[in-house]
Amino acid sequence: MNRFFSVGYQDMAQSLRSSSLWLLLGWVEIRQRYARSKIGPFWLTISMAILVTALGLVYGTLFQAKLSEYLPLLAIGFVFWAFISTSINDGCNAYISASPYLKQVPLPRGLFIFQTLWRNMIVLAHNFVIVILVLVIFQIDFIHQLHFFILGFALVVWNLMWVVTLLALLCARFRDLPQIVASFIQVIFYITPILFKRDMLQKYPLLIDLNPFAHLIEVVRGPLLGTSVPLLSWMVCLGLAVVGTLLSLFMHGKYRARIPYWV
């Protein structure tokens, strides 16, 4: 068992040291996706801004909430949910999409995990413009909580890393799994406090407490809104990161050699 942990760790460490390669691959993929476009990935920002504004007006009216309170909550939650859900869905196909490289070049497998996360972080950086505009327009004081946001974002990325590592491996072996994951993510969206406030489900607190995605959203949204994050959310995110990392390293070390045959 220790051997599998060691192999998995060495592969991920080697992948991390090859940062120049996965940084380049991720950036080139973004450039190719928006080739000949004048504003490139900012099309995603524009569509996201329109969607957030429309949903904010509609659901803010339905929930009878103040726009100055509801729109920032929705905008931040929606931007980071897009980052989390897209990273997971793209992660399911990380090895499948990289099959030409895996079959021809002896590269560390974790390289394609980092490429997937980096590509989605570039998109997040573009969409984060919406968050900044909302914070400025509604004059939300988040500076004193900025260090908590950085810590929360690090926990989100850490959790996404092990989730993508594990799902990329499983989806390369079981090709029906990406569709199952996509359906699961869609269902989770409706029970995660993104369109609604956390306190709206006071009668059913377990729907929030047992939902890891709710805690992932909370550790980045709370600090940006200038509010304190519940200790439970920090504990859940940290606990999942540690346990998930150990599991993913074991699985990665044990089955990484079979990936070229599966894809």
Side-chain angles (χ1 to χ4, degrees), residues 129-145:
V129 173
I130 300 172
V131 175
I132 295 175
L133 288 175
V134 168
L135 295 176
V136 172
I137 291 172
F138 293 102
Q139 299 180 350
I140 298 175
D141 181 18
F142 64 92
I143 298 300
H144 65 287
Q145 295 277 1

Side-chain angles (χ1 to χ4, degrees), residues 22-32 118 122 126:
W22 53 262
L23 286 172
L24 177 62
L25 288 174
W27 182 254
V28 167
E29 192 169 351
I30 291 290
R31 292 288 299 271
Q32 289 178 341
W118 167 240
I122 295 174
H126 287 81

Side-chain angles (χ1 to χ4, degrees), residues 204-223:
Y204 308 99
L206 289 180
L207 283 178
I208 303 298
D209 295 339
L210 297 180
N211 182 354
F213 292 92
H215 299 292
L216 290 174
I217 293 293
E218 188 64 32
V219 295
V220 289
R221 182 168 61 184

Side-chain angles (χ1 to χ4, degrees), residues 15-52:
S15 300
L16 191 60
R17 288 193 295 269
S18 304
S19 58
S20 58
L21 184 54
W22 53 262
L23 286 172
L24 177 62
L25 288 174
W27 182 254
V28 167
E29 192 169 351
I30 291 290
R31 292 288 299 271
Q32 289 178 341
R33 187 180 301 181
Y34 297 99
R36 298 178 179 268
S37 174
K38 295 295 183 181
I39 59 177
F42 280 109
W43 278 117
L44 293 175
T45 306
I46 294 172
S47 61
M48 177 72 74
I50 294 173
L51 181 60
V52 166

Side-chain angles (χ1 to χ4, degrees), residues 115-128:
Q115 177 195 354
T116 300
L117 292 174
W118 167 240
R119 182 177 68 244
N120 283 284
M121 289 178 69
I122 295 174
V123 176
L124 173 64
H126 287 81
N127 288 337
F128 199 74

Side-chain angles (χ1 to χ4, degrees), residues 1-2 16 32 49 64 76 80 93-94 117 125 144 157 161 167 176 181 188 193 225 228 245 253:
M1 181 176 292
N2 290 335
L16 191 60
Q32 289 178 341
Q64 298 181 346
I76 298 170
F80 280 98
N93 296 298
L117 292 174
H144 65 287
V157 174
M161 190 179 302
L167 285 178
D176 292 328
V181 171
I188 287 294
L225 292 176
S228 59
T245 299

Side-chain angles (χ1 to χ4, degrees), residues 87-104:
S87 296
I88 292 175
N89 286 324
D90 287 355
C92 290
N93 296 298
Y95 292 143
I96 298 173
S97 301
S99 59
Y101 298 107
L102 290 169
K103 292 178 179 179
Q104 298 180 40

Side-chain angles (χ1 to χ4, degrees), residues 166 169-170 246-256:
L166 194 58
L169 186 70
L170 294 174
L246 293 176
L247 175 62
S248 64
L249 285 178
F250 173 78
M251 295 290 289
H252 188 70
K254 185 174 183 179
Y255 296 108
R256 60 176 296 280

